Amino acid sequence: MQTRDGREIDVPQDAMNALTARLRGPMLTAGAAGYDEARSVWNAMIDRRPAVVVRCLGVGDVVACVQFARAHDLLLCIKGGGHNIAGLATADGAMMLDMSLMRGVWVEPGRAIAHAQAGCLLGDVDRETQLHGLATVLGFVSATGITGLTLGGGFGYLTRRWGWTSDNVVGMDVVTADARLVRASEEENPDLFWGLRGGGGNFGVVTGIDYAVYRVGPEIVGGVVAWPASDAPQVLELYRTLAEQAPPELTLVALMRMAPPAPWLPKDMHGKPIVALLACHSGTLEDGEKAVAPIKAFGKPVGDVLVRRPYAQMQTLLDATQPKGRRYYWKSEYLPRIEPALCETVIAQAAGIRSPHSAVVLFQIEGALNDLRDDHSPVGNRDAHYVLNVTGAWEQAADDQANIEWVRNTWKQLEGFSTGGNYINFLTEDEGPQRIEAALGAGLPRLAQVKTTWDPDNVFRTNRNITPG
Ligand SMILES: Cc1cc2nc3c(=O)[nH]c(=O)nc-3n(C[C@H](O)[C@H](O)[C@H](O)COP(=O)(O)OP(=O)(O)OC[C@H]3O[C@@H](n4cnc5c(N)ncnc54)[C@H](O)[C@@H]3O)c2cc1C
């Protein structure tokens, strides 16, 4: 196995046996049934082999593993949903804590709080909260892990109303580097609580997250309308002007890509370039229909599924476009506004897309997140109004270079429109310290202090690592 500082060591078999006897969940090594599935992550560009994978079944398992890793000085990694594009969930030779069996969700409608175990996917939380007509701010693809998303900030269709996902966390349960179970909230360990809401997995193993929940749905007006890419100048101008006036209940997303083989798009359009607008209105159905009317009335769409639908279904609408196991490479920036010149560049760059799965996407996030002080949490970036994501996605390793080049070139053309900040959770494996500085900026010195207090030996290092002082 690998130690924290990269040495290879043999852990005695009797010690491993003693650990196995303490665990409720299974411990898997190479060759065991389920090992390959447990070690794999969403991005097929990442292929690493932890020495052991412990599939934790409860907080007790997490405590046992952290104690064991400390005693033997082992490299630890933590897997939530495994969706991090840089593969931060996995490391060669490490002991992986696979949290994905811990997926319980308990909703307290009276207190407007949802308690979620750390292995939950976004869809788990939406499914349970929606039984009560409630929701918290989560992302656009339901198979994403809640913990990695929340620890890095998190945004989605409800961000305009309630801010980053992490702004809506009321408490977390954490197993620390010295294997203690502690609570992090405004009242208990507030420095740790601050650090966890944007500082990633640097401070401990999160075992549960409590979210504030709000009345949403269960039915909303949402969906997508698509036009041929030749209409992009007009459609992106519509996006620009509608987004500027949109009430906080309405979130608009614009994207350019090849039409996927989806049943709502005519067969003769499949594989052809399109421009699409996604809309989600989380207020009343009547207000929603009024708000999206200009989109539905615009030009001659090739497909329109912008309708009344369950909120939980809206939260899965993009799932099929982002399957686990493709090769992915992204570049992202926060934008202060959508400028006509940016739209022109997006259109020009989209014309050169190298794969039917790649896209240029603009997410609207402006609203509640801009109302809080920059130091409210380490996520910062309270000047961001949109997220630009250039998403390369393809099937074969032989196509890596062409697709990565397209993403990098497109980003180079668009970088100048940025606020200067970017989203830490969208950073690909090859992004260096400068990009992390741009993502976390002003929060870094305070994060280093929190790290020094809670993890002075840097036990938790398979992440966007903050060096302890
Ligand atoms: C298809 C797709 C769509 C996305 N959409 C959105 C979106 O709409 N909005 C958004 O904000 N983001 C989005 N993201 C980005 C997402 O927030 C990050 O990929 C995030 O890291 C995913 O969390 P995870 O738990 O799945 O990650 P993992 O890969 O499992 O882990 C990521 C990091 O979090 C750490 N971590 C995980 N669990 C724990 C734990 N229990 N305790 C401590 N540390 C832990 C890991 O160690 C690792 O460093 C998307 C990503 C993908 C791939």
Side-chain angles (χ1 to χ4, degrees):
M1 296 183 74
Q2 196 160 317
T3 61
R4 268 183 310 145
D5 55 4
R7 283 173 297 119
E8 297 286 328
I9 56 162
D10 285 322
V11 178
Q13 192 55 48
D14 56 349
M16 296 302 282
N17 294 345
L19 174 63
T20 313
R22 276 186 76 187
L23 296 171
R24 280 202 293 143
M27 181 158 72
L28 309 174
T29 50
Y35 168 82
D36 278 322
E37 177 55 28
R39 80 176 175 88
S40 69
V41 293
W42 170 78
N43 185 0
M45 301 274 279
I46 310 289
D47 183 20
R48 301 194 192 119
R49 292 170 184 277
V52 294
V53 177
V54 176
R55 307 205 68 201
C56 298
L57 265 182
V59 180
D61 284 356
V62 175
V63 169
C65 287
V66 174
Q67 281 173 348
F68 189 84
R70 289 308 303 262
H72 297 275
D73 197 23
L74 302 179
L75 179 66
L76 266 181
C77 60
I78 311 160
K79 183 180 170 192
H83 255 212
N84 188 274
I85 187 159
L88 297 179
T90 179
D92 286 326
M95 167 180 266
M96 174 189 274
L97 302 194
D98 173 8
M99 306 296 285
S100 65
L101 297 179
M102 291 174 60
R103 287 173 67 175
V105 183
W106 298 265
V107 184
E108 286 190 81
R111 291 178 64 210
I113 289 180
H115 309 273
Q117 284 188 305
C120 283
L121 306 181
L122 309 190
D124 301 334
V125 177
D126 281 329
R127 187 183 163 107
E128 301 300 326
T129 53
Q130 278 292 282
L131 290 176
H132 306 274
L134 297 167
T136 194
V137 180
L138 295 170
F140 299 90
V141 172
S142 74
T144 310
I146 60 161
T147 305
L149 178 134
T150 306
L151 292 175
F155 68 90
Y157 293 120
L158 303 181
T159 289
R160 299 202 58 221
R161 296 180 76 181
W162 295 297
W164 302 119
T165 301
S166 59
D167 294 340
N168 296 285
V169 173
V170 294
M172 294 197 194
D173 298 317
V174 186
V175 174
T176 60
D178 51 3
R180 282 181 303 129
L181 174 62
V182 302
R183 177 82 179 156
S185 68
E186 290 293 0
E187 293 76 36
E188 292 174 74
N189 303 308
D191 63 328
L192 177 62
F193 186 53
W194 183 86
L196 287 165
R197 287 174 300 153
N202 266 286
F203 312 107
V205 186
V206 174
T207 57
I209 307 180
D210 299 341
Y211 295 100
V213 288
Y214 310 93
R215 293 240 141 261
V216 172
E219 219 185 4
I220 51 94
V221 171
V224 56
V225 180
W227 298 262
S230 52
D231 291 347
Q234 297 78 20
V235 172
L236 291 187
E237 179 58 15
L238 175 74
Y239 177 66
R240 197 177 74 78
T241 50
L242 273 187
E244 269 174 16
Q245 307 151 15
E249 289 81 4
L250 179 62
T251 294
L252 296 173
V253 179
L255 60 91
M256 294 198 66
R257 56 165 294 152
M258 311 290 187
W264 61 279
L265 288 166
K267 276 212 170 78
D268 61 350
M269 278 307 291
H270 295 177
K272 305 245 170 71
I274 54 164
V275 58
L277 296 186
L278 274 133
C280 175
H281 188 287
S282 58
T284 68
L285 296 172
E286 295 71 27
D287 287 351
E289 277 166 351
K290 258 187 238 150
V292 304
I295 301 175
K296 292 181 74 73
F298 195 78
K300 289 207 179 95
V302 290
D304 175 355
V305 283
L306 179 45
V307 293
R308 292 182 179 202
R309 65 171 76 236
Y311 173 74
Q313 191 193 66
M314 182 73 209
Q315 287 286 83
T316 65
L317 212 64
L318 293 178
D319 284 10
T321 65
Q322 306 293 323
K324 180 178 175 184
R326 279 190 188 142
R327 305 176 76 78
Y328 293 96
Y329 186 87
W330 294 353
K331 281 277 189 189
S332 179
E333 293 292 332
Y334 287 128
L335 308 174
R337 68 191 75 83
I338 303 292
E339 297 173 37
L342 172 125
C343 297
E344 282 167 27
T345 314
V346 166
I347 294 166
Q349 291 301 127
I353 278 181
R354 307 297 290 267
S355 153
H357 310 306
S358 298
V360 184
V361 190
L362 297 163
F363 302 92
Q364 186 185 17
I365 56 170
E366 167 266 327
L369 76 87
N370 309 115
D371 297 338
L372 291 168
R373 284 166 49 116
D374 215 45
D375 63 356
H376 177 79
S377 75
V379 188
N381 289 290
R382 302 274 170 189
D383 55 349
H385 286 195
Y386 295 85
V387 183
L388 160 75
N389 204 7
V390 185
T391 64
W394 63 100
E395 313 268 356
Q396 304 296 334
D399 300 326
D400 285 1
Q401 201 190 337
N403 284 284
I404 291 171
E405 258 172 31
W406 173 76
V407 175
R408 286 191 183 142
N409 289 339
T410 300
W411 170 68
K412 275 270 154 241
Q413 303 296 319
L414 291 166
E415 203 190 346
F417 295 98
S418 172
T419 59
N422 68 69
Y423 182 31
I424 192 99
N425 272 347
F426 282 179
L427 289 180
T428 310
E429 198 186 5
D430 61 357
E431 309 268 23
Q434 260 185 330
R435 295 278 287 161
I436 296 170
E437 172 82 34
L440 296 175
L444 280 170
R446 190 164 162 194
L447 282 170
Q449 283 169 14
V450 181
K451 179 78 174 175
T452 308
T453 306
W454 290 92
D455 185 18
D457 300 323
N458 205 6
V459 172
F460 302 108
R461 57 178 62 200
T462 53
N463 42 45
R464 294 291 173 189
N465 199 228
I466 312 283
T467 315

